[in-house]
Amino acid sequence: MQLQDRIVIVTGGAAGIGGAISRVLVRRGAKVVAVDIDAKAGAELGSELGTDVAFVQGDVGLQETADLAVRTAVERFGGLTGLVNNAHASRQAPFVELTQQMWDLSFTTGFVATRNFMLAAHPHMVGSGGSIVNFGSGAVLVGQPTQATYVSAKEAIRGLSRVVANEWAKDDIRVNVVCPMAMTAGVKAWSESAPELYRESLSKVPLGRFGDSETDVAPIVAFLLSDDAKYMTGQTLMADGGANKLY
């Protein structure tokens, strides 16, 4: 199996894109520590996937949650070889209407959480041939209106990922970024609250649809976690149906 003997932490791993990633990783042979604030979703995931998944309830913005997730991986499964920083909460509003609370929410659950989980994971991943997958967003390339806090945090994550990919290469740890465009519950809500922006975004996708979390996005994450991607680090992969291109 592609991910046999891999032990991976997935933040926001009980539902949405994170839940889809957890399911696909387990199917491909990995053991998963799913970190999520939603206890109900975590319990449902555990019932579905059994002993191959351990659930940690907690706020990803807290260092103690990152430490607990790493400790769970080591104690429950015997180590840690992968980390997927998927969780990120944000609120949308025009730039001049954004409050400090909105900025804090996006950076704490996005950038700070990514930093904290990477720091907590590093000592256990050194020399493992391990892989970290952080989440960016195509919204940063187009400057999507009302998403200033979100895209600012996402671009900070992408910049951090490139630096750490260079620094941790000597430790045999790869760091890459995925920018997905998937039909999540959040995107569905956005399509209903801002239908014109949604239709405009959809019109720019050459493949003509928003991706499916489980069949379109999760397999790309699984690839980056596997030995098939062992010569890739510091890269950004666009899982967005061709909507945005990096040059």
Side-chain angles (χ1 to χ4, degrees):
M1 299 175 77
Q2 185 189 31
L3 297 175
Q4 190 71 39
D5 301 323
R6 299 303 172 100
I7 302 161
V8 184
I9 293 171
V10 181
T11 70
I17 292 179
I21 291 169
S22 295
R23 291 180 178 89
V24 169
L25 298 187
V26 167
R27 285 182 203 141
R28 298 189 182 199
K31 308 294 186 185
V32 171
V33 177
V35 184
D36 208 295
I37 202 165
D38 188 339
K40 183 174 182 290
E44 291 172 351
L45 187 75
S47 296
E48 177 185 346
L49 300 180
T51 58
D52 289 331
V53 65
F55 175 64
V56 171
Q57 182 183 17
D59 181 344
V60 295
L62 300 177
Q63 183 65 61
E64 62 195 58
T65 303
D67 294 340
L68 176 59
V70 170
R71 191 162 63 248
T72 300
V74 172
E75 294 177 356
R76 175 81 173 266
F77 299 124
L80 182 64
T81 63
L83 169 63
V84 180
N85 282 304
N86 156 76
H88 194 157
S90 68
R91 300 289 179 267
Q92 286 72 50
F95 177 58
V96 296
E97 297 176 15
L98 291 169
T99 65
Q100 186 61 50
Q101 207 171 25
M102 292 175 177
W103 283 103
D104 291 345
L105 173 67
S106 186
F107 270 81
T108 299
T109 62
F111 177 78
V112 173
T114 296
R115 180 201 68 187
N116 289 351
F117 272 81
M118 289 171 71
L119 288 171
H122 176 260
H124 301 275
M125 293 182 65
V126 172
S128 69
S131 173
I132 295 172
V133 181
N134 294 331
F135 268 51
S137 173
V140 306
L141 301 178
V142 297
Q144 188 72 52
T146 76
Q147 295 194 18
T149 66
Y150 180 73
V151 301
S152 296
K154 286 301 189 190
E155 196 67 344
I157 289 169
R158 203 161 72 91
L160 175 67
S161 300
R162 291 195 297 268
V163 171
V164 178
N166 287 330
E167 293 184 355
W168 289 2
K170 69 182 187 307
D171 298 326
D172 198 20
I173 300 172
R174 296 178 292 106
V175 185
N176 292 290
V177 175
V178 171
C179 296
M181 179 180 257
M183 181 51 73
T184 63
V187 170
K188 188 174 188 305
W190 172 65
S191 72
E192 294 168 352
S193 64
E196 291 184 6
L197 283 175
Y198 168 74
R199 285 193 294 270
E200 181 184 353
S201 293
L202 183 59
S203 71
K204 295 176 181 177
V205 182
L207 291 182
R209 61 182 176 83
F210 274 66
D212 180 86
S213 297
E214 195 162 316
T215 60
D216 295 321
V217 177
I220 294 174
V221 175
F223 162 70
L224 289 173
L225 291 169
S226 76
D227 282 342
D228 291 336
K230 65 183 178 182
Y231 198 53
M232 291 182 66
T233 195
Q235 304 301 312
T236 299
L237 276 68
M238 309 302 296
D240 63 0
N244 299 289
K245 285 83 174 173
L246 285 174
Y247 298 101

